[in-house]
Amino acid sequence: MKSGPTYARVAALIGDPARANMLSALMSGLALTARELAQEAGVQPSTASGHLKALTTAHLIECEKQGRYRYYRIANQETATAIESLQVLSQHNGLLRVRPGPKDPALRKARVCYDHLAGEMGVRLYESMAARDFFKVAADGISLTDVGEKFVYDFGVDVQQCNASRRPMCLACLDWSVRRHHLAGALGAAMLTAAFDQGWLMRGSGSRLVRFTAAGEAAFRKAFPIVS
Amino acid sequence: MKSGPTYARVAALIGDPARANMLSALMSGLALTARELAQEAGVQPSTASGHLKALTTAHLIECEKQGRYRYYRIANQETATAIESLQVLSQHNGLLRVRPGPKDPALRKARVCYDHLAGEMGVRLYESMAARDFFKVAADGISLTDVGEKFVYDFGVDVQQCNASRRPMCLACLDWSVRRHHLAGALGAAMLTAAFDQGWLMRGSGSRLVRFTAAGEAAFRKAFPIVS
DNA sequence: GTAATAATTCGGTCAGGAACGAACAATGAA
DNA sequence: TTCATTGTTCGTTCCTGACCGAATTATTAC
């Protein structure tokens, strides 16, 4: 019985540290370029290319060409579920390291996912805007409606500049801490910048952590009410 | 970033073909000896010993000493869940091999899990007996009550001989096809043998498949009614 | 007591695959 | 056009870890 079960190959793919680092980065829901993933894994681009090819042929990730960039992302929900269950398993079995106590709820509440807002507040922003029909859902993604465009303009976002960037305008990014979506893409980044400019929040001690000021949180909740 | 995320180590452990073969065998819910697992993996006992040590220290499996045997089993539900999700992922992505069409439902209905009955009929047997208080649940496992002992005696099982064997008498074995329990252990094996002796069922074409005769299925359903 | 079996530890061999650098192809910017 | 940047392929090096066999320990059978 030389060859193992079919799932052994998949587990071996996830089991390599470099590839696992790439997958972890992609678990943010963002699509990243090959170079960014090489950086994330701490290997040379040539090495990363081989890993990305292996992951792609196994259908764990998929690739989208945009100009000279290649954006990679998690291919399907099954892959995300498998990685999540492995995370759960390693945290459960690794009795060594405990989750940070007071830091964790703060991170769950609000953090930066690369350059946009994630956590509960990020989910609130997305769902509040979605409930008010600021987004238009198309086959290739989501985009702003007219009223949505007016809203983000009033919020302090230069819509023209967002459109000009090569980056996808709007992205619905799955939030793995709360299992719901938040807003990513150029618009997500621009809105976070606008919120910073208005003094609503500041970067916290950790690299990903952001903290709302008291007045900023009140203003945020008013600007993004929960609409049923 | 040389070292990967914590779950990479777990995935790598599962990713080795020999270890994956062992885990697959243990996913039956049975506790197996080191030698049986070496056989299952197709490696020498010395090699298997190293694998088992690695899996044990990672808390993926756990070991119980009984005389000169060491019984290994899946350590916890998190491990089983992770392996299951990897199975799902590999089946979903491996577009190559399709599940056998007509064979599958028959296997779901009734099959042999090593030496006892599994599948829907196995679950029915266990749940029917449990509903009639034939089992007594203790901290270290389940055992027969007095009425249960009388029942299996009438069924044609030599209870004395079952007790004499070193093997655990009763085991509740999780059935991965229906996510419910069926009866394993010495009693499970003896009851399957008794059912064979009564001519209720026969071994099917596949090694694990068993088929009920029409009369046998009727008698089985009468002997193990669904009690609410 | 001796023999037999289960399981582990240790030392040595060897292949798979992860890493890098160099060269090349593709695309966008000057 | 020329240059810069992204990403891939190829050839090479090298190290981890999977495997086996022999020896050792522990337990049961005779």
Side-chain angles (χ1 to χ4, degrees):
Chain A
M1 196 176 296
K2 199 191 292 183
S3 71
T6 57
Y7 68 84
R9 175 173 286 293
V10 183
L13 280 173
I14 303 177
D16 177 76
R19 285 191 293 262
N21 276 325
M22 294 177 176
L23 290 171
S24 289
L26 292 174
M27 282 294 278
S28 68
L30 290 175
L32 300 175
T33 68
R35 224 168 183 78
E36 288 171 319
L37 289 169
Q39 171 84 6
E40 203 69 37
V43 295
Q44 295 300 319
S46 61
T47 304
S49 180
H51 288 313
L52 291 171
K53 186 178 182 181
L55 291 172
T56 304
T57 56
H59 300 105
L60 295 185
I61 63 176
E62 56 189 16
C63 178
E64 188 178 346
K65 253 180 99 169
Q66 277 188 23
R68 60 180 165 183
Y69 295 89
R70 297 204 181 174
Y71 286 94
Y72 291 91
R73 69 174 64 120
I74 301 286
N76 47 51
Q77 184 60 44
E78 284 81 4
T79 302
T81 302
I83 294 175
E84 263 198 331
S85 65
L86 286 169
Q87 283 174 340
V88 170
L89 176 56
S90 65
Q91 286 172 15
H92 178 264
N93 287 357
L95 308 170
L96 328 165
R97 55 187 67 200
V98 195
R99 295 282 96 192
K103 201 174 168 185
D104 215 13
L107 273 179
R108 263 204 304 276
K109 182 177 178 187
R111 66 176 182 276
V112 172
C113 183
Y114 288 90
D115 57 0
H116 56 271
L117 188 64
E120 291 166 11
M121 299 300 262
V123 170
R124 180 181 179 126
L125 183 149
Y126 174 79
E127 293 187 348
S128 175
M129 290 180 68
R132 284 180 281 174
D133 293 325
F134 290 172
F135 298 131
K136 186 167 40 186
V137 181
D140 57 344
I142 60 176
S143 58
L144 281 175
T145 59
D146 290 340
V147 286
E149 195 158 330
K150 180 174 186 314
F151 175 83
V152 299
Y153 176 80
D154 292 340
F155 191 72
V157 170
D158 187 342
V159 184
Q160 303 302 327
Q161 193 174 338
C162 281
N163 271 325
S165 86
R166 241 192 325 275
R167 222 175 134 183
M169 179 69 175
C170 302
L171 275 180
C173 172
L174 194 54
D175 198 308
W176 300 100
S177 62
V178 291
R179 307 287 189 96
R180 284 147 85 194
H181 287 93
H182 60 247
L183 183 65
L187 180 61
M191 291 193 75
L192 178 59
T193 304
F196 273 127
D197 292 343
Q198 295 178 34
W200 286 5
L201 39 76
M202 309 168 297
R203 294 202 167 269
S205 55
S207 59
R208 296 179 301 164
L209 183 64
V210 288
R211 288 192 188 281
F212 277 82
T213 64
E217 180 161 347
F220 185 92
R221 290 188 185 279
K222 190 178 170 199
F224 301 102
I226 295 177
V227 184
S228 63
Chain B
M1 195 175 298
K2 199 192 288 182
S3 73
T6 57
Y7 67 84
R9 177 173 285 291
V10 183
L13 280 172
I14 303 177
D16 177 76
R19 285 191 292 262
N21 276 326
M22 295 177 175
L23 290 171
S24 290
L26 292 174
M27 281 295 277
S28 69
L30 290 175
L32 300 175
T33 69
R35 230 175 178 72
E36 288 171 320
L37 289 169
Q39 172 85 5
E40 203 69 37
V43 295
Q44 294 302 317
S46 60
T47 304
S49 180
H51 288 313
L52 292 171
K53 186 177 183 181
L55 290 172
T56 305
T57 55
H59 300 105
L60 294 184
I61 63 176
E62 57 189 15
C63 179
E64 187 178 348
K65 251 180 103 170
Q66 276 189 23
R68 60 179 166 185
Y69 294 89
R70 298 203 181 174
Y71 286 93
Y72 291 91
R73 69 173 66 115
I74 301 286
N76 47 51
Q77 185 58 45
E78 284 81 4
T79 302
T81 303
I83 294 174
E84 263 198 332
S85 65
L86 285 169
Q87 283 175 339
V88 170
L89 175 56
S90 65
Q91 286 173 15
H92 178 264
N93 287 357
L95 307 170
L96 328 164
R97 54 188 65 197
V98 195
R99 296 283 96 192
K103 200 175 171 186
D104 215 12
L107 273 179
R108 263 204 304 276
K109 182 177 179 186
R111 66 176 181 277
V112 172
C113 183
Y114 287 90
D115 57 1
H116 57 270
L117 188 63
E120 290 164 12
M121 299 300 261
V123 170
R124 181 182 179 124
L125 183 147
Y126 174 80
E127 293 187 349
S128 175
M129 290 180 68
R132 283 179 283 173
D133 293 325
F134 290 172
F135 297 132
K136 185 167 42 187
V137 181
D140 56 345
I142 59 176
S143 57
L144 280 176
T145 59
D146 290 340
V147 287
E149 197 158 328
K150 181 176 187 314
F151 175 83
V152 299
Y153 176 81
D154 292 341
F155 191 73
V157 170
D158 187 343
V159 184
Q160 304 301 328
Q161 194 175 337
C162 281
N163 272 325
S165 87
R166 239 193 328 275
R167 224 175 132 183
M169 179 70 176
C170 303
L171 275 179
C173 172
L174 195 53
D175 199 308
W176 301 100
S177 62
V178 291
R179 306 284 189 98
R180 285 148 85 192
H181 287 93
H182 60 248
L183 184 64
L187 180 61
M191 292 194 73
L192 177 61
T193 304
F196 273 127
D197 290 344
Q198 296 179 31
W200 285 4
L201 39 77
M202 310 167 298
R203 293 202 167 271
S205 55
S207 59
R208 295 179 301 164
L209 183 63
V210 289
R211 288 192 188 282
F212 277 82
T213 64
E217 179 162 347
F220 184 92
R221 292 188 184 278
K222 191 178 169 199
F224 301 102
I226 295 178
V227 185
S228 62

